[in-house]
Each structure stands twice: as C-alpha cells, then as structure tokens.
Amino acid sequence: MHERPEDLTELQNVIDSSYRAAGPHLLDISTAERRLDATELAGRLTGMRLLALATSTRDGRPIVGPVDGIFYRGRFHFGSSHSSLRYRHLSERPAVSATHLPGESFAVTVHGDAEFIDTTAAEHAEFRRTLLDIYVPRFGQEWADMLDRGDAWYARINPRRVLTFSMPELDS
C-alpha cells in the first residue's frame, strides 16, 4: 500500500461524494455495508490489477480495452504505447471510465480524466520504483529497458467518481 494519509482522505471524499450523487438503483445494490472505505480499498488493490478502461472516439463511441492498473497514492495508473489508439484518444479526449472486476464479489469503478505522467521525472520517482518492483520480477530487465527508452507511457486517472462493491459471501 503506497497511500499517504492525505491520499486516503482525498479518496474517501471522492467515494463519499460519489454515493451522495448516486441514483436509487445503484444505492439499492451498493448499500453502505457493501462499500469499501478508502483504506480498505487501497489494501485490496496492491500490485497489478487488470482494468477494463473505456475511452471514446471523436464521434463519441466508447471503446473498452484491458490495461494493467496500478493503484498508487489513491489513484489508478495505467500504461500503454505512444502508438496505441488509446493514447490518441486520450490525447484528444482525456475522459475515461475504468472498472476492476475480478469476480462478482468485488468491484471498483472510477470515472475521471486521464493525465499523462513522465515516469522519468523526479516527482514520479516513487511511482517508477513501484513499476519496476512489479514488472521486473515478471518480465526481467528488458521491461526496465523498455521504460528507460520511453517505449511506454503512463497516465493516472484523476477521479470524479469512485464506486466500490464488496460482498465476500458471494465467494462461498
């Protein structure tokens, strides 16, 4: 868990405001006892978590695709390639939605805007270290070399809404 107290406070504020603005159907499903608070959520989202990430085309059509999600400092981060359609979409229209849904008993959805980050900048050194700690053991030094060459870019989702769901009894 990489979150600082201020990250958790900010995340909790977004979660709370998201549910204050939620409609009756969502509130019927995601009751108070089925929601995770910021600390619980950060504890569940360690390492790489697969996200279904939605971007939109120029004419407003949604496109969803999988990305590696890294939950860091209370926000999802994800990477791709500069040559990807996703990168082009986000360069023109940063609005995104993403869901981590490993099964029917747990889900988190975030709606917000993607902001590109420079993993070589000093201000992102801790995030870069987190990436290396996750990926180098899986893929070897070649992965770090790819990051050094700038063959991958990363973005973080600045959330407007965060919705959580947890119902562990569904795992039984």
Side-chain angles (χ1 to χ4, degrees), residues 23-138:
H25 178 69
L26 177 61
L27 294 173
D28 284 346
I29 294 167
S30 191
T31 60
E33 60 275 357
R34 292 181 181 161
R35 295 179 208 152
L36 297 175
D37 66 25
T39 301
E40 292 168 321
L41 184 61
R44 295 275 305 258
L45 295 175
T46 59
M48 189 282 289
R49 299 292 177 195
L50 192 61
L51 299 176
L53 181 82
T55 61
S56 62
T57 63
R58 281 189 189 108
D59 60 357
R61 290 176 294 120
I63 294 183
V64 175
V67 294
D68 289 2
I70 308 296
F71 199 72
Y72 178 80
R73 304 264 334 257
R75 296 178 182 178
F76 273 116
H77 294 66
F78 62 93
S80 191
S81 167
H82 290 283
S83 64
S84 70
L85 179 62
R86 180 176 294 117
Y87 180 84
R88 192 167 65 234
H89 284 180
L90 294 174
S91 294
E92 297 172 12
R93 293 167 303 283
V96 296
S97 290
T99 297
H100 172 58
L101 183 69
E104 68 178 316
S105 66
F106 173 64
V108 58
T109 297
V110 59
H111 306 291
D113 293 304
E115 175 186 359
F116 297 126
I117 62 170
D118 178 359
T119 58
T120 64
E123 68 186 289
H124 299 296
E126 289 178 30
F127 177 65
R128 179 184 175 79
R129 177 79 259 155
T130 298
L131 292 173
L132 294 170
D133 289 346
I134 291 169
Y135 289 109
V136 170
R138 284 183 171 179

